Amino acid sequence: MNGGFLERDLELDRLAAAVRDAVGGAGSVVLVLGEAGIGKSSLVRALPGVLPAEARLLVGHCDDLTTGRPLGPLRDLVGRIGTELARAVRDAGDRQRVYEALHAELARAPHPTVLVVEDVHWADDASLDALRYLVRRVERLPAVVVLTYRDDELSRGHPLRQLLGQVSGAARVHRLPLARLSRDAVTTLSETASLDPAQVYAVTSGNPFYVAEVVAAGGTGEVPPTVVDAVLARLRGLDDAARDALEQLAVVPSAVQRSLVDALLPGEDGALAAAEQHGLLEVTADRVAFRHEIIRRAVADSLPAARRIALDRAVLAALMAAPDTDRSRIVHHAAAAGDLDAIARFGPGAARDAARAGAHREAAAHLRLVLHRREHYGPRELADLLEQFAVESYTIGDSGAAVAAQRDAVELRRGLGDLRALGADLRWLSRIHWWAGDADAAQSAAREALRVLERAGDERLLALALSNTAQLRMLSDENGRAIEFGERAIVLARAAGDAAILSHALNNVGSARWRSGDPSGQRQLEESLEVALGAGEVEHACRAYANIIWFLLDLLRFDEADRFLSPAIELADRAEYLGFLTYLQVELALRKFAAGDWTTAERYARLGADVFPPARCPALTVLARVRIRRGDTGGTELLDQAWQIALGTRELQRTGPVAAARAEAAWLRGDRAGVVAAAEWVHARARRLAAPPHRAELGYWLTKAGRPVPPDDSGHPYALQAAGQWDKAARLWRDAGCPYEHAAALAESPDPAVKLGALTTLDGLGAVPLARLVRAELRELGVRRVPRGPHAATRRNPAGLTDRQLQVVRCLVDGMTNPEIADRLVVSVRTVDNHVRAVLEKLDAPTRRAAARRAVELGLLSRDET
């Protein structure tokens, strides 16, 4: 019996409709989400009954391994897919080949394909990257990509969140949050076993899997006290051989291939058949799997530790004896069995396999296990492993682990006498420190790297270290020194014919020149871009794009920035350089923020809110400024986070924007002392370093707070406003396409008519705090009929929810299920399903919990409702 088939008609209909749309090439992504046991797998199993006859269904699974199998769900498809994709997946080293083969597999089919990836919350990095590639292109394919996941297991930093963020931007995406069964459905199921429906509902809360287990364990009218007891009660009807077989299989957190089953349980087909008859296993010709992960976990968790270790050792022995075994599986069971020698033997290889496939999170996890056994390796091999771990940790955003590992590698290199290796590791340590937000440590490591490499006799590495030093000096606004180091690097890079280092050095020198007011810097930056693109050095091309765009945004040359943004994002997207893609998306958020498109700015800024510090700082600043300008809560807290990051970098390009945002926030709340405290010392640094954009904006806020500043002849609109030339500033803001700043400048006019025009713009933007100040000024000027602002309901409902949808949001905040919402609102469950879907779409939220959080963030609910 499976309760998951009840009350799922709507979801099946939507899946079938998505497949029909895909027939004409209008592909889509379907998210099936909910807690464990809610019926996600049951829905997938029911799919063949509603799909068109010509549709092809491919199902892959992600496993709850300590370190996931690289491309695990795609490996499951081998045997049902074309030769090219199968070969690419088996090799896994060429990610672009995998992506293109996957795309071709879904594009070439004469009939629509439904690709299901189950339990994507357990997906490895390589699988997530492949899915990211696919979901951005699926709209032009005759395919539907179905992703099932447990939304209640997604922490703030969960790797799946970035994929879900990209899915939210897809042209066609369907969200199917699965609700628990209604009381009526539980009553229907309970009656078949003569159980008390109220008791069953009390134990299960309507979770379909739990209901099915409780009912299956019943028959005497007694409901087990817990669901785990209900699952284990199913085992009591089995003989010892069947229970032993179940326990052995339970320690393998995935479907078990038939060859491994035969090795672990020779001659036990009868035991497997008995477990299958009891509804515990699903047995096919090529694999054996538990009917549900909850059953496997219940059995595994019931085992004494000694028994479980013995069972893991049996699996480990079988895997090590088999040819071509996935080394990640060996390491998983070696760790569970406590076999340190096996971890030391197979762990480094498993990490290399994962890194080649792009599964960097899994590679880091393997290496973390390996490095717990440092005594197994000599100093040189251990230094190599530490360096690999630092690289993988850097790649996945774990700055603390990356710094610690690279420091240890450097200390080992000191004792090995290899100046070349030591210098290279010091240069890399410098880079990691900068990325982690520690400018002082980055400079220190860079200086030592130069000292070492000056004696090492490797001019290529010396050029790299010089360029790294130039970058750090440029970022610290030491432009003269940056140019000096960078030009030395350019000479060496040209002599070595190394396009990557040449592009890097040209970038640093060009940035330093442009930042110091030399227009030739822009030409040098564009040369850096041309060199990188010509040599196929995508990483350096992305960096050149990022710096060019950043400077153009700083200089309010938005139309020029737009010309670079699109090709830059397209390049990073196509090449799967996700770090640079995120950084460029944050720059797009800055651009949209300046244009007054705050909703879009928020959407892109959220993509960078939990990543590496150089992108996170501006992302948090955009999110904070949108909230502050709208009068929403939470802006100050976000600015505090951004400020801590900015202080660690010691870079004016970070501290300047955050200080300006803090000053603006203080001004809007009437705190003049707060304005001065936020802006004064950063303004002094901006004046000392001759940085016009930051100097002008911070000087403007200080002037607003009554603190005089020296005249600023930069011609920046903020400098003009500080000098009382609001009209000239307004024209510049208008020409640049900055509606908020344009309105703010107009609002400084003594003419009430001009102020009223500014007020109209501010109301249109939803800029409540500044609009409130302008209204107060109009009343002080004696204007009798000051227009009222937008209706309170409109201000508090920027997502455009209907009254009924607001009621549904309140229920989501209370944690109610769809049937419970239907009871409260006296509507059908189907109607609630539709409202919930609309709420998720309008709030750009992947889950019900995220929608509830978003509603609170937007101030959609009154204080007593939260």
Side-chain angles (χ1 to χ4, degrees):
M1 179 180 297
N2 193 328
F5 286 115
L6 286 175
E7 300 184 335
R8 295 291 183 257
D9 291 343
L10 178 65
E11 287 81 5
L12 285 171
D13 288 346
R14 291 192 67 195
L15 280 164
V19 177
R20 288 194 297 271
D21 291 341
V23 173
S28 61
V29 182
V30 179
L31 303 178
V32 180
L33 53 143
E35 64 189 353
I38 201 66
K40 300 182 293 294
S41 296
S42 297
L43 187 69
V44 171
R45 284 194 291 268
L47 265 177
V50 300
L51 294 181
E54 69 274 17
R56 177 175 61 150
L57 179 63
L58 300 174
V59 182
H61 300 80
C62 303
D63 304 322
D64 187 19
L65 290 165
T66 303
T67 52
R69 294 180 298 155
L71 298 175
L74 297 184
R75 292 178 187 273
D76 287 347
L77 306 181
V78 174
R80 290 171 287 158
I81 53 178
T83 304
E84 180 57 31
L85 178 56
R87 286 175 179 168
V89 169
R90 285 196 187 100
D91 178 58
D94 187 341
R95 287 193 294 168
Q96 197 62 36
R97 181 187 173 198
V98 172
Y99 302 157
E100 291 173 358
L102 178 59
H103 187 276
E105 179 74 25
L106 299 186
R108 70 173 176 81
H111 306 300
T113 299
V114 180
L115 172 62
V116 180
V117 180
E118 286 255 51
D119 295 321
V120 74
H121 52 277
W122 289 328
D124 64 283
D125 278 352
S127 296
L128 289 173
D129 285 347
L131 289 171
R132 274 190 284 265
Y133 177 91
L134 190 57
V135 300
R136 292 195 295 272
R137 295 159 177 83
V138 71
E139 65 189 76
R140 297 182 295 276
L141 294 173
V144 176
V145 178
V146 180
L147 307 177
T148 76
Y149 63 96
R150 300 179 187 175
D151 60 318
D152 57 349
E153 294 194 7
L154 302 187
S155 62
R156 180 176 179 180
H158 195 285
L160 179 57
R161 287 202 176 275
Q162 188 177 39
L163 172 61
L164 294 178
Q166 292 186 339
V167 169
S168 68
R172 284 178 290 275
V173 57
H174 311 279
R175 291 181 176 85
L176 303 183
L178 300 186
R180 295 183 175 187
L181 297 178
S182 67
R183 293 179 184 273
D184 289 343
V186 173
T187 297
T188 300
L189 293 168
S190 302
E191 287 173 347
T192 63
S194 301
L195 297 177
D196 181 350
Q199 282 186 298
V200 175
Y201 193 86
V203 169
T204 66
S205 299
N207 180 291
F209 175 81
Y210 296 165
V211 172
E213 291 303 305
V214 170
V215 169
T220 63
E222 296 179 357
V223 178
T226 70
V227 173
V228 171
D229 290 336
V231 172
L232 296 179
R234 305 278 291 278
L235 273 65
R236 285 198 284 270
L238 298 171
D239 61 21
D240 289 345
R243 282 199 297 273
D244 287 345
L246 281 172
E247 290 176 356
Q248 178 64 81
L249 296 176
V251 301
V252 183
S254 62
V256 187
Q257 298 303 309
R258 193 72 211 203
S259 58
L260 181 57
V261 174
D262 292 342
L264 292 171
L265 303 169
E268 294 293 345
D269 287 347
L272 296 176
E276 184 181 21
Q277 289 168 355
H278 276 70
L280 297 167
L281 292 180
E282 291 179 344
V283 180
T284 66
D286 60 349
R287 58 184 238 163
V288 176
F290 281 86
R291 188 170 62 79
H292 199 287
E293 172 67 8
I294 294 174
I295 299 176
R296 186 195 71 79
R297 284 195 172 188
V299 175
D301 291 347
S302 71
L303 296 172
R307 168 72 170 154
R308 180 159 186 165
I309 290 170
L311 294 172
D312 271 305
R313 285 178 176 166
V315 178
L316 177 61
L319 290 173
M320 291 171 65
D324 301 323
T325 296
D326 187 332
R327 286 184 280 203
S328 65
R329 288 191 179 280
I330 292 177
V331 173
H332 170 85
H333 290 285
D339 191 327
L340 308 186
D341 290 337
I343 292 173
R345 178 182 168 191
F346 291 97
R352 288 193 299 272
D353 292 344
R356 284 178 64 245
H360 299 290
R361 189 161 37 96
E362 288 67 33
H366 285 307
L367 289 165
R368 190 175 294 108
L369 282 172
V370 165
L371 291 170
H372 287 160
R373 322 290 178 229
R374 297 189 182 197
E375 67 277 6
H376 287 267
Y377 308 100
R380 193 176 303 277
E381 187 179 8
L382 180 57
D384 289 343
L385 289 170
L386 285 162
E387 184 181 318
Q388 291 167 29
F389 182 51
V391 170
E392 298 304 326
S393 299
Y394 168 89
T395 305
I396 65 174
D398 187 348
S399 59
V403 167
Q406 191 62 20
R407 277 177 172 166
D408 288 351
V410 165
E411 290 310 309
L412 284 170
R413 298 287 189 205
R414 293 189 196 283
L416 292 171
D418 185 341
L419 291 179
R420 184 180 179 280
L422 174 59
D425 271 5
L426 282 164
R427 199 281 310 173
W428 181 231
L429 177 61
S430 171
R431 173 66 182 177
I432 294 175
H433 272 308
W434 173 82
W435 167 76
D438 190 340
D440 290 343
Q443 294 274 15
S444 175
R447 286 192 294 270
E448 186 179 0
L450 275 180
R451 288 197 300 271
V452 170
L453 289 171
E454 292 277 10
R455 298 182 288 122
D458 189 320
E459 292 198 342
R460 180 188 168 278
L461 281 178
L462 177 58
L464 187 57
L466 286 165
S467 191
N468 174 69
T469 302
Q471 179 185 14
L472 293 173
R473 299 286 184 166
M474 177 269 293
L475 292 170
S476 299
D477 290 283
E478 298 175 57
N479 295 317
R481 296 286 283 160
I483 293 169
E484 176 187 334
F485 284 110
E487 286 183 334
R488 285 183 62 196
I490 288 171
V491 171
L492 291 175
R494 290 193 194 278
D498 193 308
I501 300 177
L502 177 58
S503 174
H504 191 270
L506 286 167
N507 191 323
N508 298 324
V509 174
S511 296
R513 286 200 166 110
W514 199 355
R515 187 170 286 183
S516 61
D518 182 348
S520 70
Q522 180 174 358
R523 291 193 297 274
Q524 208 156 15
L525 258 177
E526 290 178 359
E527 182 187 355
S528 166
L529 176 60
E530 290 166 6
V531 168
L533 290 174
E537 293 286 350
V538 176
E539 178 180 2
H540 292 285
C542 288
R543 180 171 176 259
Y545 269 128
N547 281 354
I548 291 169
I549 292 164
W550 188 275
F551 284 120
L552 291 172
L553 293 176
D554 257 0
L555 296 172
L556 311 181
R557 291 160 59 180
F558 298 116
D559 289 343
E560 291 180 67
D562 290 340
R563 289 195 295 106
F564 288 97
L565 271 165
S566 293
I569 289 174
E570 181 182 351
L571 176 65
D573 185 6
R574 185 174 66 250
E576 297 292 311
Y577 272 85
L578 299 180
F580 272 114
L581 177 61
T582 301
Y583 196 87
L584 290 163
Q585 287 168 330
V586 171
E587 290 187 318
L588 182 56
L590 290 165
R591 170 69 181 101
K592 296 297 183 181
F593 176 75
D597 185 357
W598 294 343
T599 299
T600 303
E602 276 189 306
R603 179 156 58 88
Y604 284 109
R606 279 199 294 270
L607 298 175
D610 294 300
V611 296
F612 52 101
R616 187 169 181 238
C617 184
L620 291 172
T621 305
V622 170
L623 291 171
R625 297 194 88 161
V626 169
R627 293 188 185 188
I628 288 163
R629 289 186 177 183
R630 281 177 171 162
D632 296 337
T633 59
T636 301
E637 291 77 9
L638 292 174
L639 279 182
D640 288 344
Q641 295 176 43
W643 185 240
Q644 291 306 311
I645 296 171
L647 288 177
T649 68
R650 296 183 180 273
E651 296 172 12
L652 185 59
Q653 65 174 340
R654 312 292 175 209
T655 56
V658 183
R662 298 174 83 206
E664 180 181 8
W667 171 257
L668 289 174
R669 64 175 180 262
D671 179 6
R672 295 194 173 205
V675 173
V676 174
E680 193 165 41
W681 78 266
V682 185
H683 174 256
R685 185 177 183 216
R687 287 187 60 234
R688 187 171 65 254
L689 296 174
H694 305 304
R695 182 184 68 210
E697 184 171 8
L698 293 166
Y700 166 72
W701 288 116
L702 287 169
T703 303
K704 292 278 282 185
R707 181 65 58 92
V709 298
D712 185 333
D713 61 358
S714 65
H716 193 284
Y718 273 129
L720 294 173
Q721 284 178 258
Q725 300 179 52
W726 61 267
D727 49 346
K728 291 182 180 179
R731 284 194 293 272
L732 290 177
W733 288 124
R734 181 198 60 204
D735 293 344
C738 301
Y740 180 88
E741 288 76 6
H742 176 236
L746 291 176
E748 295 176 353
S749 168
D751 185 342
V754 177
K755 283 185 181 292
L756 286 167
L759 186 58
T760 300
T761 300
L762 294 172
D763 284 342
L765 290 168
V768 176
L770 184 54
R772 186 184 301 121
L773 293 177
V774 174
R775 283 188 168 84
E777 290 173 2
L778 285 165
R779 293 189 185 98
E780 289 177 5
L781 290 172
V783 178
R784 296 193 175 192
R785 303 187 65 178
V786 178
R788 295 181 59 187
H791 190 273
T794 304
R795 287 201 309 270
R796 291 177 56 242
N797 183 11
L801 301 181
T802 66
D803 289 343
R804 178 64 87 184
Q805 288 164 358
L806 283 170
Q807 291 175 323
V808 169
V809 166
R810 294 185 184 101
C811 295
L812 294 180
V813 171
D814 291 340
M816 298 174 67
T817 65
N818 283 17
E820 290 169 336
I821 296 172
D823 288 343
R824 174 179 288 187
L825 302 183
V826 195
V827 296
S828 69
V829 175
R830 186 180 293 267
T831 298
V832 173
D833 291 337
N834 291 331
H835 284 316
V836 169
R837 276 195 299 275
V839 165
L840 293 174
E841 294 284 351
K842 289 184 177 181
L843 294 178
D844 190 28
T847 68
R848 300 158 70 89
R849 289 177 178 81
R853 286 196 301 270
R854 181 78 176 126
V856 173
E857 290 170 357
L858 289 175
L860 297 178
L861 309 176
S862 62
R863 263 180 209 282
D864 56 355
E865 290 177 304
T866 58

